[in-house]
Protein backbone atom coordinates (compact mmCIF):
# COMPACT_ATOMS: atom_id res chain seq x y z
CA UNK A 1 0.00 0.00 0.00
CA UNK A 2 1.46 3.37 -1.03
CA UNK A 3 3.03 5.58 1.68
CA UNK A 4 0.40 5.33 4.43
CA UNK A 5 -0.16 2.08 6.33
CA UNK A 6 -3.56 0.64 7.13
CA UNK A 7 -3.26 1.74 10.77
CA UNK A 8 -3.04 5.38 9.73
CA UNK A 9 -6.18 4.85 7.64
CA UNK A 10 -7.98 3.45 10.69
CA UNK A 11 -7.09 6.52 12.74
CA UNK A 12 -8.45 8.73 9.94
CA UNK A 13 -11.64 6.67 9.86
CA UNK A 14 -12.11 7.06 13.61
CA UNK A 15 -11.63 10.83 13.33
CA UNK A 16 -14.18 10.85 10.44
CA UNK A 17 -11.76 12.63 8.15
CA UNK A 18 -11.62 12.18 4.40
CA UNK A 19 -8.75 10.24 2.87
CA UNK A 20 -6.68 12.65 0.81
CA UNK A 21 -4.91 10.23 -1.56
CA UNK A 22 -6.34 7.16 -3.28
CA UNK A 23 -4.78 3.90 -2.16
CA UNK A 24 -3.75 1.39 -4.80
CA UNK A 25 -2.92 -2.26 -4.38
CA UNK A 26 0.01 -4.15 -5.77
CA UNK A 27 -0.56 -6.52 -8.67
CA UNK A 28 -0.06 -9.51 -6.37
CA UNK A 29 -2.79 -8.24 -4.04
CA UNK A 30 -5.51 -7.68 -6.63
CA UNK A 31 -6.68 -11.32 -6.53
CA UNK A 32 -6.66 -11.55 -2.72
CA UNK A 33 -9.76 -11.10 -0.58
CA UNK A 34 -10.63 -7.93 1.26
CA UNK A 35 -10.22 -9.55 4.70
CA UNK A 36 -6.70 -10.77 3.95
CA UNK A 37 -5.65 -7.37 2.62
CA UNK A 38 -7.17 -5.46 5.53
CA UNK A 39 -5.70 -7.67 8.25
CA UNK A 40 -2.34 -7.91 6.47
CA UNK A 41 -1.85 -4.13 6.49
CA UNK A 42 -2.66 -3.76 10.20
CA UNK A 43 0.33 -3.73 12.52
CA UNK A 44 0.24 -6.02 15.54
CA UNK A 45 -2.20 -8.80 16.36
CA UNK A 46 -4.50 -9.68 13.47
CA UNK A 47 -7.40 -10.78 15.72
CA UNK A 48 -7.49 -7.36 17.38
CA UNK A 49 -7.38 -5.69 13.96
CA UNK A 50 -10.38 -7.74 12.79
CA UNK A 51 -12.31 -6.87 15.98
CA UNK A 52 -11.45 -3.20 15.56
CA UNK A 53 -12.88 -3.17 12.04
CA UNK A 54 -16.09 -5.15 12.61
CA UNK A 55 -16.83 -5.38 16.35
CA UNK A 56 -16.91 -9.20 16.00
CA UNK A 57 -14.13 -11.66 16.75
CA UNK A 58 -12.90 -13.84 13.91
CA UNK A 59 -14.44 -16.92 15.50
CA UNK A 60 -17.86 -15.22 15.76
CA UNK A 61 -17.54 -14.04 12.15
CA UNK A 62 -16.84 -17.61 10.95
CA UNK A 63 -19.86 -18.92 12.86
CA UNK A 64 -22.03 -16.21 11.32
CA UNK A 65 -20.82 -17.13 7.83
CA UNK A 66 -21.61 -20.81 8.38
CA UNK A 67 -25.09 -19.84 9.55
CA UNK A 68 -25.71 -17.62 6.53
CA UNK A 69 -24.21 -19.89 3.88
CA UNK A 70 -26.78 -22.57 4.71
CA UNK A 71 -29.62 -20.18 3.83
CA UNK A 72 -27.97 -18.11 1.08
CA UNK A 73 -26.39 -20.25 -1.65
CA UNK A 74 -23.36 -18.70 -3.30
CA UNK A 75 -23.88 -18.38 -7.07
CA UNK A 76 -20.60 -18.70 -8.91
CA UNK A 77 -20.04 -16.54 -11.91
CA UNK A 78 -17.41 -14.29 -13.31
CA UNK A 79 -14.75 -13.53 -10.69
CA UNK A 80 -14.84 -9.84 -9.86
CA UNK A 81 -13.58 -7.63 -7.08
CA UNK A 82 -15.57 -8.14 -3.86
CA UNK A 83 -17.68 -10.87 -5.46
CA UNK A 84 -16.90 -13.24 -2.58
CA UNK A 85 -19.75 -13.56 -0.07
CA UNK A 86 -17.30 -13.48 2.84
CA UNK A 87 -15.89 -10.14 1.69
CA UNK A 88 -19.38 -8.70 1.23
CA UNK A 89 -20.41 -9.57 4.81
CA UNK A 90 -17.11 -8.14 6.07
CA UNK A 91 -17.77 -4.94 4.11
CA UNK A 92 -21.25 -4.61 5.64
CA UNK A 93 -20.03 -5.20 9.21
CA UNK A 94 -17.19 -2.70 8.75
CA UNK A 95 -19.54 -0.01 7.49
CA UNK A 96 -22.04 -0.56 10.31
CA UNK A 97 -19.34 -0.66 12.99
CA UNK A 98 -17.26 2.32 11.84
CA UNK A 99 -20.32 4.41 11.09
CA UNK A 100 -19.11 6.39 8.07
CA UNK A 101 -18.52 6.06 4.35
CA UNK A 102 -14.80 6.81 4.73
CA UNK A 103 -14.02 3.11 4.90
CA UNK A 104 -16.05 2.47 1.75
CA UNK A 105 -14.00 5.18 0.03
CA UNK A 106 -10.82 3.35 1.06
CA UNK A 107 -12.13 0.04 -0.31
CA UNK A 108 -13.35 1.66 -3.53
CA UNK A 109 -9.92 3.17 -4.17
CA UNK A 110 -8.25 -0.15 -3.32
CA UNK A 111 -10.36 -2.26 -5.68
CA UNK A 112 -10.66 0.32 -8.48
CA UNK A 113 -14.37 0.86 -7.87
CA UNK A 114 -16.29 4.10 -7.49
CA UNK A 115 -17.80 4.88 -4.10
CA UNK A 116 -21.32 4.91 -5.57
CA UNK A 117 -20.80 1.41 -6.97
CA UNK A 118 -19.65 0.20 -3.57
CA UNK A 119 -22.67 1.78 -1.84
CA UNK A 120 -24.96 0.01 -4.34
CA UNK A 121 -23.17 -3.22 -3.41
CA UNK A 122 -23.88 -2.51 0.26
CA UNK A 123 -27.59 -2.00 -0.47
CA UNK A 124 -27.79 -5.27 -2.41
CA UNK A 125 -26.05 -7.20 0.40
CA UNK A 126 -28.53 -5.79 2.94
CA UNK A 127 -31.49 -6.73 0.74
CA UNK A 128 -30.11 -10.28 0.35
CA UNK A 129 -29.54 -10.74 4.09
CA UNK A 130 -32.70 -9.12 5.45
CA UNK A 131 -35.17 -12.00 5.13
CA UNK A 132 -32.79 -14.94 5.88
CA UNK A 133 -31.46 -13.20 9.00
CA UNK A 134 -34.97 -12.35 10.20
CA UNK A 135 -36.08 -15.98 9.79
CA UNK A 136 -33.03 -17.26 11.68
CA UNK A 137 -32.48 -14.71 14.45
CA UNK A 138 -35.56 -12.46 14.78
CA UNK A 139 -37.94 -14.96 16.43
CA UNK A 140 -40.09 -15.23 19.54
CA UNK A 141 -38.77 -17.39 22.40
CA UNK A 142 -40.97 -18.87 25.16
CA UNK A 143 -38.72 -17.51 27.93
CA UNK A 144 -40.36 -16.00 30.99
CA UNK A 145 -39.07 -14.31 34.13
CA UNK A 146 -39.24 -16.21 37.41
CA UNK A 147 -41.07 -13.43 39.29
CA UNK A 148 -43.09 -12.15 36.29
CA UNK A 149 -44.15 -15.18 34.29
CA UNK A 150 -47.01 -13.32 32.61
CA UNK A 151 -44.64 -10.93 30.74
CA UNK A 152 -43.90 -12.04 27.20
CA UNK A 153 -42.14 -9.02 25.67
CA UNK A 154 -40.59 -5.71 26.75
CA UNK A 155 -41.13 -2.83 24.28
CA UNK A 156 -39.60 0.61 23.83
CA UNK A 157 -38.67 3.03 21.04
CA UNK A 158 -35.25 4.20 19.92
CA UNK A 159 -34.28 7.17 17.75
CA UNK A 160 -31.89 7.26 14.79
CA UNK A 161 -30.58 10.75 13.94
CA UNK A 162 -30.97 11.99 10.37
CA UNK A 163 -30.09 15.18 8.53
CA UNK A 164 -32.72 17.86 8.16
CA UNK A 165 -35.03 16.79 5.31
CA UNK A 166 -34.97 18.97 2.24
CA UNK A 167 -38.12 20.71 1.15
CA UNK A 168 -40.80 22.72 2.89
CA UNK A 169 -40.67 23.43 6.63
CA UNK A 170 -43.94 21.56 7.26
CA UNK A 171 -42.40 18.39 5.83
CA UNK A 172 -39.24 18.68 7.96
CA UNK A 173 -41.19 19.31 11.17
CA UNK A 174 -42.62 15.78 10.97
CA UNK A 175 -39.13 14.37 11.58
CA UNK A 176 -38.26 16.73 14.46
CA UNK A 177 -38.41 15.21 17.95
CA UNK A 178 -39.38 17.72 20.63
CA UNK A 179 -38.03 15.40 23.33
CA UNK A 180 -34.52 14.93 21.91
CA UNK A 181 -34.45 18.19 19.87
CA UNK A 182 -33.08 16.54 16.72
CA UNK A 183 -34.33 15.41 13.32
CA UNK A 184 -34.71 11.65 13.61
CA UNK A 185 -36.78 8.56 12.88
CA UNK A 186 -38.27 6.20 15.49
CA UNK A 187 -38.46 2.42 15.55
CA UNK A 188 -40.13 0.34 18.25
CA UNK A 189 -38.36 -2.85 19.33
CA UNK A 190 -39.75 -5.68 21.43
CA UNK A 191 -37.15 -7.79 23.25
CA UNK A 192 -37.17 -11.07 25.12
CA UNK A 193 -37.59 -10.37 28.86
CA UNK A 194 -34.93 -12.91 29.93
CA UNK A 195 -32.00 -12.73 27.48
CA UNK A 196 -32.76 -9.40 25.75
CA UNK A 197 -32.75 -10.46 22.08
CA UNK A 198 -35.04 -8.55 19.71
CA UNK A 199 -38.15 -10.43 18.60
CA UNK A 200 -40.33 -7.75 16.94
CA UNK A 201 -39.60 -4.60 14.97
CA UNK A 202 -42.02 -1.89 13.94
CA UNK A 203 -41.90 0.10 10.72
CA UNK A 204 -39.93 3.34 10.47
CA UNK A 205 -41.84 6.33 11.86
CA UNK A 206 -41.16 10.05 11.89
CA UNK A 207 -39.50 11.62 14.93
CA UNK A 208 -42.59 13.59 15.97
CA UNK A 209 -44.73 10.43 16.31
CA UNK A 210 -45.53 9.50 19.92
CA UNK A 211 -44.36 6.12 21.24
CA UNK A 212 -47.90 5.00 22.06
CA UNK A 213 -49.14 5.75 18.53
CA UNK A 214 -46.32 3.59 17.16
CA UNK A 215 -47.31 0.85 19.59
CA UNK A 216 -50.97 0.90 18.48
CA UNK A 217 -49.87 0.31 14.87
CA UNK A 218 -47.26 -2.28 15.82
CA UNK A 219 -49.15 -4.35 18.43
CA UNK A 220 -51.52 -6.21 16.02
CA UNK A 221 -48.47 -7.66 14.23
CA UNK A 222 -47.24 -9.68 17.24
CA UNK A 223 -50.43 -9.97 19.32
CA UNK A 224 -51.08 -13.53 18.19
CA UNK A 225 -47.52 -14.59 19.05
CA UNK A 226 -47.82 -13.47 22.68
CA UNK A 227 -50.29 -16.21 23.50
CA UNK A 228 -52.09 -14.25 26.22
CA UNK A 229 -48.94 -12.93 27.90
CA UNK A 230 -48.57 -9.25 28.82
CA UNK A 231 -46.42 -6.42 27.53
CA UNK A 232 -44.02 -4.53 29.81
CA UNK A 233 -43.42 -0.87 28.87
CA UNK A 234 -42.50 2.49 30.37
CA UNK A 235 -44.71 5.44 31.36
CA UNK A 236 -45.07 6.60 27.73
CA UNK A 237 -47.46 3.65 27.16
CA UNK A 238 -49.94 4.50 29.94
CA UNK A 239 -52.77 4.64 27.40
CA UNK A 240 -52.18 0.99 26.48
CA UNK A 241 -53.98 -0.22 29.64
CA UNK A 242 -57.33 0.81 28.19
CA UNK A 243 -56.85 -1.32 25.05
CA UNK A 244 -54.59 -4.24 26.03
CA UNK A 245 -53.40 -6.05 29.14
CA UNK A 246 -50.11 -4.24 29.72
CA UNK A 247 -47.84 -3.62 32.71
CA UNK A 248 -46.60 -0.03 32.89
CA UNK A 249 -43.39 0.93 34.66
CA UNK A 250 -43.88 4.39 36.19
CA UNK A 251 -40.96 6.74 36.92
CA UNK A 252 -41.67 6.64 40.70
CA UNK A 253 -43.01 3.83 42.86
CA UNK A 254 -42.27 0.81 40.65
CA UNK A 255 -38.54 -0.02 41.08
CA UNK A 256 -39.09 -3.76 40.51
CA UNK A 257 -40.71 -3.06 37.12
CA UNK A 258 -37.96 -0.60 36.13
CA UNK A 259 -35.29 -3.17 36.91
CA UNK A 260 -37.05 -5.67 34.62
CA UNK A 261 -37.65 -3.14 31.85
CA UNK A 262 -33.95 -2.14 31.72
CA UNK A 263 -33.28 -5.15 29.47
CA UNK A 264 -34.55 -3.21 26.44
CA UNK A 265 -32.24 -0.27 27.32
CA UNK A 266 -29.33 -2.70 27.37
CA UNK A 267 -30.27 -3.94 23.93
CA UNK A 268 -30.25 -0.38 22.56
CA UNK A 269 -26.90 0.24 24.24
CA UNK A 270 -25.39 -2.86 22.62
CA UNK A 271 -26.84 -1.83 19.25
CA UNK A 272 -25.42 1.72 19.42
CA UNK A 273 -22.05 0.48 20.74
CA UNK A 274 -21.64 -2.26 18.18
CA UNK A 275 -22.87 -0.25 15.18
CA UNK A 276 -21.86 3.42 15.26
CA UNK A 277 -23.83 4.18 12.10
CA UNK A 278 -26.96 4.53 14.26
CA UNK A 279 -25.32 7.08 16.58
CA UNK A 280 -24.55 9.60 13.82
CA UNK A 281 -26.86 11.20 11.22
CA UNK A 282 -28.00 8.59 8.70
CA UNK A 283 -25.81 8.83 5.55
CA UNK A 284 -28.30 7.34 3.03
CA UNK A 285 -31.94 7.86 2.09
CA UNK A 286 -34.44 7.63 4.96
CA UNK A 287 -36.40 4.78 3.38
CA UNK A 288 -33.32 2.52 3.71
CA UNK A 289 -33.20 2.83 7.51
CA UNK A 290 -35.64 -0.04 8.03
CA UNK A 291 -33.64 -2.62 6.07
CA UNK A 292 -30.33 -1.73 7.68
CA UNK A 293 -31.89 -1.59 11.16
CA UNK A 294 -33.50 -5.01 10.72
CA UNK A 295 -30.18 -6.57 9.65
CA UNK A 296 -28.37 -4.81 12.51
CA UNK A 297 -30.87 -6.13 15.10
CA UNK A 298 -30.40 -9.67 13.81
CA UNK A 299 -26.63 -9.30 14.05
CA UNK A 300 -26.97 -7.93 17.60
CA UNK A 301 -29.09 -10.99 18.50
CA UNK A 302 -26.30 -13.20 17.21
CA UNK A 303 -23.77 -11.18 19.21
CA UNK A 304 -25.86 -11.42 22.41
CA UNK A 305 -25.92 -15.22 22.15
CA UNK A 306 -22.12 -15.26 22.49
CA UNK A 307 -21.79 -12.13 24.69
CA UNK A 308 -24.73 -11.67 27.13
CA UNK A 309 -26.00 -8.19 27.97
CA UNK A 310 -24.52 -6.38 30.99
CA UNK A 311 -25.04 -3.14 32.90
CA UNK A 312 -22.42 -1.43 30.71
CA UNK A 313 -24.81 -1.66 27.76
CA UNK A 314 -27.51 0.35 29.55
CA UNK A 315 -24.86 2.94 30.51
CA UNK A 316 -23.93 3.23 26.82
CA UNK A 317 -27.55 3.97 25.92
CA UNK A 318 -27.75 6.62 28.67
CA UNK A 319 -24.58 8.26 27.29
CA UNK A 320 -26.13 8.38 23.83
CA UNK A 321 -29.30 10.11 25.14
CA UNK A 322 -27.27 12.51 27.30
CA UNK A 323 -25.06 13.40 24.33
CA UNK A 324 -28.15 14.38 22.35
CA UNK A 325 -29.27 16.69 25.17
CA UNK A 326 -25.77 18.23 25.55
CA UNK A 327 -25.58 18.79 21.81
CA UNK A 328 -28.92 20.61 21.93
CA UNK A 329 -27.78 22.84 24.82
CA UNK A 330 -24.58 23.72 22.95
CA UNK A 331 -26.56 24.62 19.83
CA UNK A 332 -28.97 26.70 21.91
CA UNK A 333 -26.14 28.61 23.58
CA UNK A 334 -24.36 29.22 20.26
CA UNK A 335 -27.60 30.51 18.72
CA UNK A 336 -28.13 32.85 21.68
CA UNK A 337 -24.58 34.20 21.37
CA UNK A 338 -24.94 34.86 17.63
CA UNK A 339 -28.30 36.58 18.15
CA UNK A 340 -26.85 38.85 20.85
CA UNK A 341 -23.89 39.73 18.63
CA UNK A 342 -26.17 40.49 15.70
CA UNK A 343 -28.40 42.73 17.79
CA UNK A 344 -25.37 44.56 19.24
CA UNK A 345 -23.88 45.15 15.78
CA UNK A 346 -27.23 46.36 14.46
CA UNK A 347 -27.64 48.72 17.41
CA UNK A 348 -24.10 50.02 17.00
CA UNK A 349 -24.69 50.58 13.29
CA UNK A 350 -27.84 52.59 13.92
CA UNK A 351 -26.32 54.50 16.86
CA UNK A 352 -22.49 54.37 16.73
CA UNK A 353 -22.07 56.41 19.96
CA UNK A 354 -23.95 53.88 22.15
CA UNK A 355 -21.74 51.26 23.92
CA UNK A 356 -22.34 47.55 23.76
CA UNK A 357 -24.90 46.08 26.13
CA UNK A 358 -23.60 44.34 29.28
CA UNK A 359 -24.92 40.95 28.18
CA UNK A 360 -22.97 41.10 24.92
CA UNK A 361 -19.79 42.25 26.64
CA UNK A 362 -20.10 39.40 29.13
CA UNK A 363 -20.59 36.91 26.33
CA UNK A 364 -17.61 38.25 24.45
CA UNK A 365 -15.54 38.10 27.64
CA UNK A 366 -16.60 34.47 28.14
CA UNK A 367 -15.58 33.60 24.59
CA UNK A 368 -12.20 35.30 25.04
CA UNK A 369 -11.60 33.51 28.35
CA UNK A 370 -12.60 30.19 26.76
CA UNK A 371 -10.17 30.75 23.89
CA UNK A 372 -7.39 31.64 26.36
CA UNK A 373 -8.14 28.53 28.43
CA UNK A 374 -8.05 26.39 25.31
CA UNK A 375 -4.73 27.91 24.26
CA UNK A 376 -3.25 27.33 27.72
CA UNK A 377 -4.45 23.72 27.66
CA UNK A 378 -2.86 23.22 24.25
CA UNK A 379 0.39 24.74 25.49
CA UNK A 380 0.36 22.47 28.54
CA UNK A 381 -0.21 19.44 26.33
CA UNK A 382 2.65 20.50 24.06
CA UNK A 383 4.90 21.00 27.10
CA UNK A 384 4.03 17.55 28.42
CA UNK A 385 4.72 15.99 25.02
CA UNK A 386 8.07 17.76 24.78
CA UNK A 387 9.06 16.62 28.29
CA UNK A 388 8.07 13.06 27.43
CA UNK A 389 10.10 13.18 24.21
CA UNK A 390 13.13 14.55 26.08
CA UNK A 391 12.87 11.78 28.67
CA UNK A 392 12.65 9.18 25.90
CA UNK A 393 15.71 10.66 24.19
CA UNK A 394 17.70 10.66 27.44
CA UNK A 395 16.64 7.09 28.08
CA UNK A 396 17.72 6.02 24.61
CA UNK A 397 21.06 7.84 25.01
CA UNK A 398 21.70 6.18 28.38
CA UNK A 399 20.90 2.77 26.92
CA UNK A 400 23.23 3.37 23.97
CA UNK A 401 26.06 4.53 26.28
CA UNK A 402 25.62 1.46 28.44
CA UNK A 403 25.78 -0.77 25.36
CA UNK A 404 28.94 0.98 24.20
CA UNK A 405 30.59 0.55 27.60
CA UNK A 406 29.68 -3.13 27.60
CA UNK A 407 31.17 -3.54 24.14
CA UNK A 408 34.41 -1.83 25.25
CA UNK A 409 34.68 -4.08 28.32
CA UNK A 410 34.04 -7.18 26.22
CA UNK A 411 36.68 -6.12 23.66
CA UNK A 412 39.27 -5.44 26.38
CA UNK A 413 38.57 -8.81 27.94
CA UNK A 414 39.01 -10.54 24.59
CA UNK A 415 42.32 -8.74 24.00
CA UNK A 416 43.63 -9.76 27.43
CA UNK A 417 42.68 -13.36 26.81
CA UNK A 418 44.48 -13.32 23.45
CA UNK A 419 47.64 -11.85 25.05
CA UNK A 420 47.58 -14.51 27.77
CA UNK A 421 47.29 -17.23 25.12
CA UNK A 422 50.24 -15.79 23.27
CA UNK A 423 52.36 -15.72 26.45
CA UNK A 424 51.53 -19.34 27.16
Amino acid sequence: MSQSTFMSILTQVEKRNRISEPIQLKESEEKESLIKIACKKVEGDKTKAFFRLTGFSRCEFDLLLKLLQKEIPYHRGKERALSNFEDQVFLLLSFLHLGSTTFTHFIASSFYKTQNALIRLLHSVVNDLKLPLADLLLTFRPDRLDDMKDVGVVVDCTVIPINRPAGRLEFGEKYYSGKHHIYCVKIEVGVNPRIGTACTLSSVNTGSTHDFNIFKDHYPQFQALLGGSKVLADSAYIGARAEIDAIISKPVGTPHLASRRVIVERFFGRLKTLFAVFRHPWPFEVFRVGSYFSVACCLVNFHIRHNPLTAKDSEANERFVNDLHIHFLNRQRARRVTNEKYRAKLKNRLNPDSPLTPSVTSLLAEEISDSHDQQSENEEEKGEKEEKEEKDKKRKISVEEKERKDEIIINERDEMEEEMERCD
Side-chain angles (χ1 to χ4, degrees):
M1 193 171 291
S2 63
Q3 296 180 359
S4 61
T5 60
F6 194 75
M7 284 299 294
S8 63
I9 296 167
L10 287 179
T11 55
Q12 291 179 5
V13 170
E14 290 177 351
K15 293 178 181 178
R16 301 179 64 82
N17 294 334
R18 295 185 63 184
I19 299 174
S20 57
E21 297 181 359
I23 300 152
Q24 296 181 354
L25 301 177
K26 298 178 181 179
E27 294 181 357
S28 59
E29 295 176 340
E30 291 181 8
K31 297 181 180 180
E32 294 184 3
S33 65
L34 170 63
I35 301 175
K36 290 181 180 179
I37 294 170
C39 294
K40 188 189 296 184
K41 300 302 179 182
V42 176
E43 298 175 358
D45 192 1
K46 300 298 182 290
T47 56
K48 292 182 180 179
F50 191 89
F51 179 81
R52 189 178 179 184
L53 282 170
T54 61
F56 285 73
S57 65
R58 187 56 196 260
C59 180
E60 294 170 352
F61 181 76
D62 294 337
L63 291 174
L64 179 63
L65 279 180
K66 289 181 181 179
L67 185 67
L68 291 175
Q69 286 173 352
K70 294 179 181 179
E71 300 293 331
I72 304 175
Y74 177 63
H75 300 285
R76 290 194 171 274
K78 185 178 180 181
E79 292 292 336
R80 296 179 180 177
L82 298 177
S83 60
N84 189 5
F85 180 69
E86 183 180 7
D87 287 342
Q88 293 178 0
V89 177
F90 176 79
L91 174 65
L92 176 62
L93 289 176
S94 301
F95 166 72
L96 292 175
H97 182 65
L98 297 175
S100 68
T101 56
T102 311
F103 186 71
T104 58
H105 176 74
F106 153 67
I107 298 173
S109 58
S110 301
F111 285 89
Y112 306 102
K113 281 178 172 285
T114 62
Q115 189 173 6
N116 292 332
L118 208 64
I119 290 173
R120 288 195 297 270
L121 177 62
L122 269 175
H123 297 336
S124 65
V125 172
V126 169
N127 293 331
D128 293 341
L129 294 179
K130 182 180 177 181
L131 293 178
L133 278 175
D135 294 338
L136 291 171
L137 300 172
L138 202 67
T139 55
F140 261 89
R141 294 171 61 92
D143 297 336
R144 296 291 185 272
L145 297 172
D146 296 335
D147 54 346
M148 298 179 67
K149 294 183 179 181
D150 54 347
V151 174
V153 65
V154 184
V155 298
D156 200 1
C157 289
T158 185
V159 297
I160 301 170
I162 62 171
N163 295 312
R164 185 186 181 281
R168 296 179 63 86
L169 180 62
E170 294 80 4
F171 178 73
E173 286 180 348
K174 296 179 181 179
Y175 290 90
Y176 188 79
S177 172
K179 178 182 178 181
H180 301 286
H181 306 286
I182 57 170
Y183 290 95
C184 62
V185 293
K186 281 185 177 181
I187 298 178
E188 186 183 67
V189 181
V191 302
N192 184 280
R194 180 177 289 275
I195 60 176
T197 56
C199 50
T200 62
L201 298 177
S202 71
S203 58
V204 180
N205 298 270
T206 57
S208 61
T209 309
H210 195 269
D211 294 357
F212 179 60
N213 293 330
I214 300 174
F215 177 76
K216 286 194 294 185
D217 297 335
H218 181 211
Y219 181 70
Q221 299 178 12
F222 64 93
Q223 184 179 7
L225 300 174
L226 288 175
S229 57
K230 298 181 180 180
V231 177
L232 180 60
D234 60 1
S235 57
Y237 295 81
I238 289 178
R241 286 181 173 178
E243 300 183 10
I244 62 172
D245 193 6
I247 300 175
I248 306 300
S249 172
K250 297 181 180 180
V252 180
T254 56
H256 63 288
L257 295 179
S259 62
R260 295 305 183 186
R261 201 194 63 81
V262 76
I263 192 73
V264 68
E265 305 290 344
R266 293 181 179 180
F267 176 82
F268 292 148
R270 178 67 63 86
L271 175 71
K272 301 294 175 64
T273 303
L274 195 61
F275 301 132
V277 71
F278 299 113
R279 296 200 305 265
H280 307 297
W282 182 247
F284 304 138
E285 298 88 348
V286 177
F287 69 87
R288 298 190 184 277
V289 175
S291 301
Y292 277 85
F293 190 83
S294 175
V295 171
C297 287
C298 295
L299 294 174
V300 171
N301 286 352
F302 179 82
H303 194 267
I304 291 173
R305 291 183 181 181
H306 300 85
N307 306 279
L309 295 172
T310 60
K312 292 182 179 179
D313 297 315
S314 60
E315 293 174 0
N317 187 57
E318 289 178 3
R319 284 197 301 271
F320 170 72
V321 177
N322 292 334
D323 289 342
L324 293 179
H325 184 63
I326 292 170
H327 182 62
F328 165 70
L329 293 178
N330 292 335
R331 285 188 290 117
Q332 197 176 30
R333 182 178 179 277
R335 191 181 298 114
R336 181 168 58 87
V337 170
T338 53
N339 289 337
E340 292 286 345
K341 286 182 181 179
Y342 173 75
R343 289 170 186 169
K345 288 180 181 179
L346 184 62
K347 186 176 180 180
N348 191 23
R349 190 183 304 167
L350 297 175
N351 189 7
D353 298 331
S354 63
L356 294 175
T357 58
S359 60
V360 176
T361 54
S362 62
L363 292 172
L364 294 175
E366 288 179 3
E367 287 189 354
I368 293 169
S369 61
D370 293 340
S371 63
H372 285 308
D373 293 338
Q374 190 173 3
Q375 288 178 0
S376 61
E377 289 178 0
N378 294 333
E379 290 177 357
E380 289 178 359
E381 290 179 357
K382 288 180 181 178
E384 291 177 357
K385 286 182 181 179
E386 290 176 357
E387 289 179 0
K388 191 175 181 181
E389 289 177 357
E390 289 179 359
K391 288 180 181 179
D392 293 337
K393 287 180 181 178
K394 289 179 181 179
R395 195 178 300 162
K396 289 180 182 179
I397 292 169
S398 61
V399 171
E400 290 177 357
E401 288 179 355
K402 189 177 180 181
E403 290 178 353
R404 289 175 185 174
K405 289 180 181 179
D406 293 338
E407 288 180 0
I408 292 169
I409 293 170
I410 292 169
N411 293 331
E412 290 178 355
R413 191 182 298 169
D414 293 338
E415 289 177 359
M416 290 177 65
E417 290 178 356
E418 288 178 359
E419 288 179 0
M420 290 177 67
E421 289 178 357
R422 289 175 185 174
C423 294
D424 295 339

